[in-house]
């Protein structure tokens, strides 16, 4: 039986973002009404039973995250929705917020009720200004209709949802950095513990959840934990959004269950529809730029958290970047290290200095000036970043280097031997950028 | 004498901070509408956490005068009730705040992997050539500033350019001259906008 999308079924329809459409087609705010008739602890138990795992990248069980939020405290509690979607190759939350914003708003309200919070902040990246306009207008409608605000459905439960606009910082997607940014500081991670569940926003108990994660909450409340778990492989239940980009015919966001294989996502007509210009596949980055590459012989891996991890990579944010045979792997590592060097928040030395060093080394190899020992040096520098930083950014920055050398060492050696890039592509710059010009 | 074998010991070689405070600029104050917007947004945060509104306050400044000057940071500090250094700390960290005047249209070309795979590097080259400027510069007419940015989160519509707060999707390198002409003659109306706004299509 064909899979019927849960989160994105109506997103291509005109006015799918409106409250009327949501109420009419998606049993809008019934999940919230149901939840308010039950004990908060029941909601947490149900989400735990569903096996919902965080869709932001780590895949941590959402129910557990909520359970860890400190209960016996006079302090207020908070939900922070991570809408900073900045992982290269990821663009799923964008669709949800723009085309189905009420699902997120309802998810925020239920999450607040479950953990005992009265306020949810949606931290949206600054570049999503047009998305923010939609979201704020729809939040205002939810207030007007009594789905947010004081005494919702006469239950005595109050809930406010506010949108907070970031201003251009990848690091703000890390949960403690997001909290710092929300407090009006630089987006830099905190030392953990204490975890946000104990001391998060304003030093109060906080749960930070991704947009897609919160969007899964209303359907779980409405349809039950068993329904959700049964949608995918064991421990990988529920609907999942996949972002396919790069050298494919139809890049886009596709909703499927986690039974779906990487091959289907790339080649199937229901999804990306095959390789652009029928060129051969060289490699795939399955979960955003921070995860290791997979090769064509690993394509039959189901795109679930556990299967992809078993294959040696990570599902991460499900941002799949598809690479054809024109991609030089040294160039790829250089392109990504340019990103990580630029986005490093600068707090931990290995990441701040190491990232820059890696970029310069890669640039030297790519331009043909590299030396034989540079390859081992790259490996050494990258290995000295992993596990030595406060947040996962350090590991993320080292990964493109480690994975390209592990999988395509011969290309690095050819660059050094021949003193030039051995796989120049016509879509690349004619004049390679000069070192450190910006 | 030097205590370090490889480093000369002389006043000229002492580390000297190159940090320069932003020029003060004109005295700054919000227009009444912006003041009202700020006063409303600041209530979204606990009364003793006004600093949370600093990003919003800086956006208002940028909306009003195009960039964030020293005087405006001082003004924001007085509004928030924090030090000027606190505001400068934030304004210098986030890439979307400009510390100097920029062109009418800021062309933020995404250069990260998915966009690069479909020609973003060539788009930057074409814009550079057409306007005679390098990334980070403003053209002599003051109309365009070219900036290379990292992933904008629209990888399915690569290459993407963010023009001020609007988007232009799938900009092929060969379309650059027409794209620039469109902005010159029709302004923001020449942009494709986000493909998800199906109601406007």
């Amino acid at each position: 039986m064909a899979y019927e999308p849960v989160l994105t079924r109506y997103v291509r329809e005109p006015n799918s973002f409106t409250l009327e459409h949501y109420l009419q087609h998606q049993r809008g705010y019934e999940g919230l009404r149901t939840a308010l008739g039950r004990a908060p602890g029941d909601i947490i138990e149900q989400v735990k039973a569903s096996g919902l795992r965080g869709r932001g990248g780590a895949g941590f069980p959402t129910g557990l995250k909520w359970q860890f939020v400190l209960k016996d405290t006079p302090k207020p509690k908070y939900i922070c929705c991570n809408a900073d979607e900045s992982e290269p190759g990821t663009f799923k939350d964008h669709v949800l917020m723009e085309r189905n914003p009420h699902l997120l708003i309802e998810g925020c309200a239920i999450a607040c009720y479950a953990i005992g919070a009265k306020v949810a902040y949606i931290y949206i990246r600054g570049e999503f200004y047009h998305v923010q306009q939609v979201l704020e207008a729809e939040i205002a409608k939810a207030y007007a209709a009594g789905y947010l605000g004081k005494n919702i459905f006469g239950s005595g439960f109050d809930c406010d949802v506010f949108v907070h606009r970031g201003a251009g910082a990848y690091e703000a997607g890390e949960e403690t950095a997001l909290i710092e940014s929300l407090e009006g500081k630089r987006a830099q991670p905190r030392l953990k513990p204490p975890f946000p569940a104990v001391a998060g926003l304003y030093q109060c108990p906080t749960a930070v959840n991704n947009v897609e994660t919160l969007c899964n909450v209303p359907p779980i409340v409405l349809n039950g934990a068993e329904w959700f778990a049964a949608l995918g492989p064991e421990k990988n239940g529920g609907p999942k959004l996949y972002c396919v980009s790069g050298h494919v015919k139809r890049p886009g966001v596709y909703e499927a269950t986690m039974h779906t294989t990487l091959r289907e996502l790339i080649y199937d007509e229901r999804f990306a529809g095959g390789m652009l210009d029928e060129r051969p596949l060289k490699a795939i980055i399955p979960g955003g730029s921070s995860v290791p590459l997979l090769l064509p012989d690993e394509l039959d891996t189901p795109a679930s958290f556990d299967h992809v991890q078993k294959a040696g990579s990570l599902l991460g944010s499900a941002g799949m970047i598809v690479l054809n045979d024109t991609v030089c792997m040294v160039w790829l590592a250089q392109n990504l290290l340019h990103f990580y060097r630029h986005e490093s928040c600068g707090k931990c030395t290995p990441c701040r200095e190491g990232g820059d060093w890696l970029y310069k080394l890669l640039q030297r190899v790519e331009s043909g000036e590299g030396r034989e020992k540079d390859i081992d040096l790259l490996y050494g520098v990258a290995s000295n970043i992993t596990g030595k930083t406060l947040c996962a950014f350090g590991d993320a920055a080292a990964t493109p280097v480690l994975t390209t050398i592990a999988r395509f060492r011969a290309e690095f050696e050819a660059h050094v031997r021949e003193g030039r890039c051995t796989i120049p592509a016509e879509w690349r710059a004619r004049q390679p950028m000069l070192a450190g010009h910006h | 004498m030097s205590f370090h074998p490889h480093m000369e010991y002389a006043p000229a070689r002492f580390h000297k901070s190159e940090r320069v405070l932003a020029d003060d600029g004109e005295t700054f104050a919000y227009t009444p509408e912006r003041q009202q917007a700020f006063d409303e947004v600041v209530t979204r945060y606990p009364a003793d956490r006004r600093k949370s509104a600093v990003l919003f306050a800086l956006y208002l400044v940028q909306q009003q005068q195009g960039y964030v000057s020293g005087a405006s940071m001082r003004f924001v500090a007085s509004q928030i009730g924090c030090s000027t250094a606190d505001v400068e700390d934030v304004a210098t960290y986030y890439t979307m705040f400009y510390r100097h005047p920029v062109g009418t249209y800021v062309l933020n070309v995404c250069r990260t992997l998915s966009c690069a795979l479909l020609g973003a590097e060539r788009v930057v080259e074409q814009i550079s050539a057409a306007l005679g400027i390098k990334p980070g510069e403003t053209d002599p007419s003051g109309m365009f500033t070219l900036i290379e940015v990292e992933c904008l989160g629209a990888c399915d519509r690569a290459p993407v350019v963010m023009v001020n707060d609007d988007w232009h999707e799938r900009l092929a390198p060969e379309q650059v001259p027409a794209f620039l002409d469109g902005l010159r003659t029709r302004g923001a109306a020449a942009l494709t906008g986000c493909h998800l706004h199906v109601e406007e299509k």
Side-chain angles (χ1 to χ4, degrees):
Chain A
M1 201 181 74
Y3 171 73
E4 186 75 62
V6 178
L7 310 176
T8 59
R9 181 170 173 185
Y10 300 103
V11 296
R12 305 282 161 206
E13 287 184 15
N15 300 316
S16 71
F17 64 91
T18 58
L19 180 58
E20 297 71 43
H21 192 284
Y22 185 61
L23 292 173
Q24 199 180 344
H25 297 278
Q26 298 189 65
R27 298 170 69 191
Y29 293 99
E30 274 183 42
L32 178 60
R33 192 187 292 271
T34 311
L36 293 183
R38 291 160 47 192
D42 281 3
I43 308 296
I44 295 182
E45 284 308 318
Q46 189 174 32
V47 171
K48 264 168 76 181
S50 75
L52 171 63
R53 296 169 72 169
R55 264 50 173 162
F60 189 80
T62 305
L64 275 184
K65 207 177 206 178
W66 289 358
Q67 196 185 350
F68 291 153
V69 174
L70 215 58
K71 285 184 191 57
D72 302 322
T73 166
K75 289 180 178 176
K77 304 180 191 85
Y78 294 101
I79 286 285
C80 293
C81 170
N82 187 343
D84 190 59
E85 190 158 70
S86 304
E87 176 74 14
T90 313
F91 40 94
K92 61 189 176 62
D93 300 340
H94 178 190
V95 178
L96 288 173
M97 287 188 283
E98 187 150 357
R99 302 306 306 176
N100 206 357
H102 286 285
L103 187 62
L104 174 62
I105 299 167
E106 188 178 357
C108 286
I110 297 175
C112 279
Y113 180 70
I115 70 157
K118 287 187 164 51
V119 181
Y121 291 106
I122 301 177
Y123 185 100
I124 192 166
R125 65 179 300 186
E127 292 87 344
F128 281 179
Y129 185 68
H130 59 286
V131 188
Q132 188 187 355
Q133 301 308 301
V134 177
L135 204 50
E136 290 198 317
E138 295 309 313
I139 287 174
K141 285 186 193 143
Y143 269 105
Y147 301 124
L148 291 176
K150 300 267 177 244
N151 194 17
I152 299 167
F153 298 132
S155 65
F157 171 64
D158 305 337
C159 184
D160 283 315
V161 175
F162 299 120
V163 182
H164 183 100
R165 186 185 184 193
Y170 169 73
E171 180 58 18
E174 199 275 343
E175 61 177 8
T176 57
L178 181 145
I179 289 169
E180 286 282 297
S181 181
L182 199 42
E183 291 184 0
K185 297 178 244 173
R186 292 182 163 217
Q188 293 184 319
R190 292 176 180 170
L191 179 66
K192 290 178 272 190
F195 288 92
V198 176
L201 182 62
Y202 310 133
Q203 295 299 314
C204 299
T206 304
V208 183
N209 294 115
N210 172 260
V211 171
E212 189 189 345
T213 312
L214 290 173
C215 284
N216 274 300
V217 172
I220 290 174
V221 171
L222 280 178
N223 304 324
E226 298 72 28
W227 162 82
F228 187 87
L231 277 180
E234 205 189 339
K235 293 186 183 158
N236 292 273
K240 182 79 198 86
L241 299 190
Y242 295 98
C243 320
V244 191
S245 68
H247 292 141
V248 289
K249 283 197 181 125
R250 284 200 310 274
V253 177
Y254 298 101
E255 182 177 333
T257 69
M258 289 191 251
H259 286 298
T260 318
T261 64
L262 298 175
R263 185 185 305 283
E264 286 176 292
L265 288 165
I266 298 172
Y267 289 101
D268 199 289
E269 281 307 316
R270 290 171 296 155
F271 306 114
M275 294 295 290
L276 193 65
D277 305 327
E278 312 297 339
R279 293 199 73 100
L281 176 74
K282 182 168 184 176
I284 172 171
I285 302 179
S289 65
S290 307
V291 309
L293 293 161
L294 291 178
L295 299 183
D297 60 2
E298 289 153 320
L299 278 189
D300 291 314
T301 309
S304 79
F305 289 106
D306 293 335
H307 288 97
V308 176
Q309 190 168 6
K310 223 165 122 192
S313 186
L314 292 163
L315 185 64
S317 58
M320 310 207 161
I321 307 175
V322 181
L323 311 164
N324 71 17
D325 61 337
T326 62
V327 181
C328 164
M329 288 297 158
V330 183
W331 171 86
L332 177 128
Q334 189 197 340
N335 179 285
L336 290 179
L337 260 296
H338 187 289
F339 173 84
Y340 288 108
R341 156 185 104 136
H342 180 266
E343 296 295 337
S344 174
C345 79
K347 187 162 183 168
C348 312
T349 313
C351 167
R352 181 187 66 236
E353 302 299 323
D356 190 50
W357 193 2
L358 287 174
Y359 176 73
K360 284 174 179 155
L361 283 169
L362 286 164
Q363 194 172 45
R364 187 155 83 190
V365 175
E366 172 60 19
S367 65
E369 310 277 308
R371 291 166 292 189
E372 187 63 46
K373 65 176 185 185
D374 283 351
I375 305 172
D376 288 331
L377 188 55
L378 275 167
Y379 209 88
V381 174
S383 308
N384 276 305
I385 300 174
T386 52
K388 296 181 180 64
T389 52
L390 283 178
C391 76
F393 188 114
D395 289 58
T399 298
V401 174
L402 295 174
T403 184
T404 48
I405 296 180
R407 301 280 196 161
F408 296 95
R409 193 182 174 101
E411 280 185 28
F412 285 77
E413 287 166 353
H415 277 69
V416 172
R417 199 172 52 242
E418 299 192 21
R420 64 184 178 90
C421 177
T422 48
I423 314 175
E426 47 87 23
W427 43 262
R428 280 169 49 188
R430 302 285 186 266
Q431 297 284 319
M433 294 299 171
L434 298 170
H437 77 93
H438 59 100
Chain B
M1 61 166 276
S2 172
F3 296 98
H4 192 286
H6 305 300
M7 209 181 277
E8 206 177 312
Y9 188 74
R13 291 293 180 92
F14 273 134
H15 172 72
K16 217 166 78 188
S17 169
E18 290 181 6
R19 182 171 167 278
V20 180
L21 280 169
D23 62 291
D24 267 351
E26 312 256 315
T27 316
F28 184 90
Y30 287 144
T31 59
E33 305 82 63
R34 293 205 172 86
Q35 184 67 52
Q36 203 186 339
F38 174 81
D39 292 339
E40 193 255 300
V41 163
V42 88
T43 62
R44 296 177 179 182
Y45 309 99
D48 56 341
R49 301 289 183 171
R50 291 171 64 89
K51 208 179 157 194
S52 282
V54 68
L55 293 181
F56 184 77
L58 288 167
Y59 273 121
L60 286 177
V61 167
Q62 197 155 283
Q63 232 178 49
Q64 188 166 323
Q65 65 169 24
Y67 77 109
V68 177
S69 60
S72 66
M73 285 195 265
R74 201 153 293 156
F75 173 78
V76 167
S78 72
Q79 289 286 313
I80 300 276
C82 63
S83 71
T84 315
D86 283 335
V87 179
E88 199 187 358
D89 185 45
V90 169
T92 52
Y93 179 81
Y94 295 92
T95 55
M96 290 181 69
F97 298 124
Y98 309 124
R99 299 281 306 291
H100 303 285
V102 289
T104 315
Y105 298 109
V106 183
L107 310 175
N108 295 282
V109 185
C110 174
R111 58 155 310 283
T112 315
L113 189 57
S114 293
C115 281
L117 290 172
L118 292 168
E121 290 186 353
R122 302 267 303 118
V123 170
V124 173
E125 278 189 339
Q126 295 286 328
I127 297 177
S128 271
L131 299 175
I133 53 173
K134 290 204 289 284
E137 295 177 350
T138 302
D139 79 327
S141 72
M143 187 164 242
F144 298 109
T145 299
L146 172 62
I147 300 180
E148 279 185 302
V149 296
E150 303 294 350
C151 191
L152 287 174
C155 319
D156 53 341
R157 311 295 283 182
V160 176
V161 184
M162 182 171 76
V163 181
N164 302 345
D165 282 327
D166 287 322
W167 280 14
H168 189 84
E169 301 179 331
R170 289 198 170 156
L171 177 63
E174 30 316 334
Q175 294 167 346
V176 163
F179 164 72
L180 294 175
D181 279 343
L183 277 173
R184 283 194 189 98
T185 53
R186 299 198 291 131
L191 302 172
T192 63
C194 178
H195 70 289
L196 291 167
H197 282 291
V198 291
E199 290 78 15
E200 291 164 19
K201 298 286 184 287

